[in-house]
Amino acid sequence: MTKRSILGRRAELPSLAKSCPALSHWFSSGLGEEILSQQLALTQPLVERLFGYHLMQAGVTSAVDFAACSRINHRFRLSACGEQSGAALVEFEQLPLPSESIDVVLLHHLLDFSGHPHQVLREAARVLIPGGHLLLIGFNPFSLLGLSRLLFSGSAYQRGNQLRAARVADWMNLLDLQANTIERGFFRLPLQQRELLAKTSWMERLGARWRLPWGGFYIIVARKEVVRMRAIKINWRGDQKPALTAVPSSPRVAARGHHHKR
């Protein structure tokens, strides 16, 4: 398959509102349920370590509640389609939420199936408070599962973006989100039969033990960078009054400030 044909498929992506019902149905299949089960097992300890007042969860299926183990009291779900029960209907390219109002944002495969993945990520970064966390789950194109998504287009989960974890982390960096943790899962063959999936469980143990980079999905936990103010002692009796200066919390912010001064 040529690069042009891949780009053509991406340009023809249906909206999330149209894709979600078929994706939700696929996640109820044998392969989909196995992937959801592994995602939940890896996500739970990550979510338990995140604190705050407000948690926003958004994804392509409501089959699993990834935030059920969270210690945050106010948790809510958003969706692009009305089929997901208990979720508010929104457009993820333009979230109806104030800037810097959410402590934790959890995105489940939204970037994989959005026609504007960068804008979806930009909106997620906008609503995060400084110091807040973004937990993002996506499909890894450099995997057996990713290869099946690239070569075939018959199933709903096979029609989507091919976004590497490193590329998503670069996008995050541009939005002042620092990726601190990357987990990977589902190293086995993408088979629909539960019996065959069970027979390839040894591949899962091997991939997890050696932390191989070709898991079928990745989980990225990123923190929104903040700019700290450093208080300095001012000599009011001197001729020159020193000014308060902002100390960047990361090398990226420092480099950006140095570039602007030039």
Side-chain angles (χ1 to χ4, degrees):
M1 182 174 292
T2 64
K3 182 178 180 180
R4 179 176 299 179
S5 62
I6 295 173
L7 293 175
R9 284 175 53 190
R10 184 177 301 173
E12 298 173 358
L13 278 181
S15 65
L16 280 170
K18 295 180 179 179
S19 301
C20 280
L23 290 170
S24 183
H25 177 73
W26 179 83
F27 273 111
S28 66
S29 65
L31 178 58
E33 287 184 346
E34 179 62 30
I35 291 175
L36 281 179
S37 176
Q38 291 192 27
Q39 289 177 346
L40 181 62
L42 289 175
T43 301
Q44 279 185 331
L46 300 175
V47 172
E48 289 176 348
R49 295 199 294 263
L50 303 180
F51 300 94
Y53 296 98
H54 310 286
L55 184 150
M56 184 194 92
Q57 180 179 185
V60 296
T61 178
S62 59
V64 174
D65 185 3
F66 292 98
C69 61
S70 174
R71 302 180 186 181
I72 299 176
N73 291 327
H74 182 222
R75 305 187 299 267
F76 62 96
R77 305 180 72 152
L78 301 180
S79 173
C81 59
E83 283 77 6
Q84 293 189 24
S85 59
L89 189 63
V90 300
E91 293 182 1
F92 290 106
E93 293 82 2
Q94 191 173 0
L95 290 173
L97 295 170
S99 299
E100 300 183 357
S101 60
I102 307 299
D103 299 272
V104 177
V105 172
L106 197 157
L107 302 182
H108 180 248
H109 291 299
L110 284 187
L111 269 60
D112 291 320
F113 301 102
S114 170
H116 307 281
H118 193 275
Q119 179 60 24
V120 173
L121 186 62
R122 182 185 298 274
E123 279 293 280
R126 179 185 65 82
V127 301
L128 267 180
I129 66 169
H133 289 85
L134 170 67
L135 193 152
L136 184 144
I137 303 174
F139 284 127
N140 178 18
F142 295 145
S143 64
L144 295 174
L145 181 66
L147 184 63
S148 70
R149 295 183 68 235
L150 182 65
L151 298 178
F152 306 101
S153 60
S155 181
Y157 90 101
Q158 294 167 331
R159 296 189 295 270
N161 302 310
Q162 299 283 340
L163 301 176
R164 298 177 293 111
R167 183 182 182 188
V168 175
D170 287 341
W171 287 2
M172 290 179 172
N173 196 30
L174 292 173
L175 298 171
D176 292 334
L177 295 170
Q178 183 64 45
N180 299 318
T181 303
I182 301 180
E183 299 283 350
R184 291 178 173 85
F186 196 80
F187 298 91
R188 64 186 74 182
L189 297 171
L191 305 172
Q192 279 290 354
Q193 294 78 11
R194 290 180 172 84
E195 295 79 7
L196 294 178
L197 280 172
K199 292 181 179 179
T200 57
S201 60
W202 62 271
M203 300 176 68
E204 205 66 49
R205 294 191 296 269
L206 182 65
R209 179 183 303 171
W210 294 98
R211 300 185 67 85
L212 300 177
W214 52 78
F217 65 85
Y218 53 80
I219 303 173
I220 302 177
V221 181
R223 183 178 184 271
K224 188 171 183 178
E225 297 171 345
V226 295
V227 176
R228 301 189 303 270
M229 297 300 294
R230 180 178 63 187
I232 60 176
K233 187 176 181 180
I234 299 177
N235 182 11
W236 294 103
R237 297 179 181 179
D239 294 334
Q240 294 183 349
K241 304 298 186 293
L244 293 178
T245 58
V247 178
S249 61
S250 72
R252 165 169 170 75
V253 178
R256 185 173 56 189
H258 180 69
H259 175 74
H260 288 331
K261 290 182 180 179
R262 290 183 178 179

